[in-house]
Amino acid sequence: MAGQELASRVSCARSYDWDKGSIDLVTSPWSEEMGEANSSEDVQKLRVVAYDFGIKQNILRLLTDHHCEVGVVPAMTSAEDVLRLNPDGVFLSNGPATRSRCSTQ
């Protein structure tokens, strides 16, 4: 596995938007006390572009749950192309065989 470039094998072939969230859960009992908006229409959505290096759908669902408009781009998309999309943030997904190079010794 060492030295192999696998992200291009598992990445999407073209860009797409993701808008599926998790299962709707019951609103927390303290949301009204905390002044939280009950309607997702009241929340400003941030545009996030996610690089697909082998991204998991649950990550996309969680970004959507946290009021993000999510666009997914292939691993080989240039930074210039992503910045032209004018995102509020860029997310770099984990990929195949990703592991920390840090030693705990």
Side-chain angles (χ1 to χ4, degrees), residues 3-22:
Q4 292 187 30
E5 191 283 302
L6 301 173
S8 62
R9 293 184 185 179
V10 298
S11 184
C12 57
R14 61 178 183 234
S15 300
Y16 62 93
D17 289 328
W18 180 273
D19 63 359
K20 297 173 187 74
S22 299

Side-chain angles (χ1 to χ4, degrees), residues 35-73:
E36 294 179 19
N38 288 330
S39 171
S40 60
E41 296 172 7
D42 297 337
V43 178
Q44 179 183 358
K45 293 192 175 197
L46 298 175
R47 177 74 177 159
V48 174
V49 174
Y51 272 93
D52 180 4
F53 299 121
I55 197 164
K56 310 301 183 276
Q57 287 185 352
N58 195 50
I59 293 172
L60 298 174
R61 286 192 293 265
L62 290 172
L63 286 168
T64 301
D65 288 348
H66 288 280
H67 311 294
C68 294
E69 292 179 2
V70 182
V72 182
V73 296

Side-chain angles (χ1 to χ4, degrees), residues 1-2 4 6 53 56 94-101:
M1 299 285 295
Q4 292 187 30
L6 301 173
F53 299 121
K56 310 301 183 276
N94 56 331
T98 301
R99 63 178 172 191
S100 173
R101 296 191 183 273

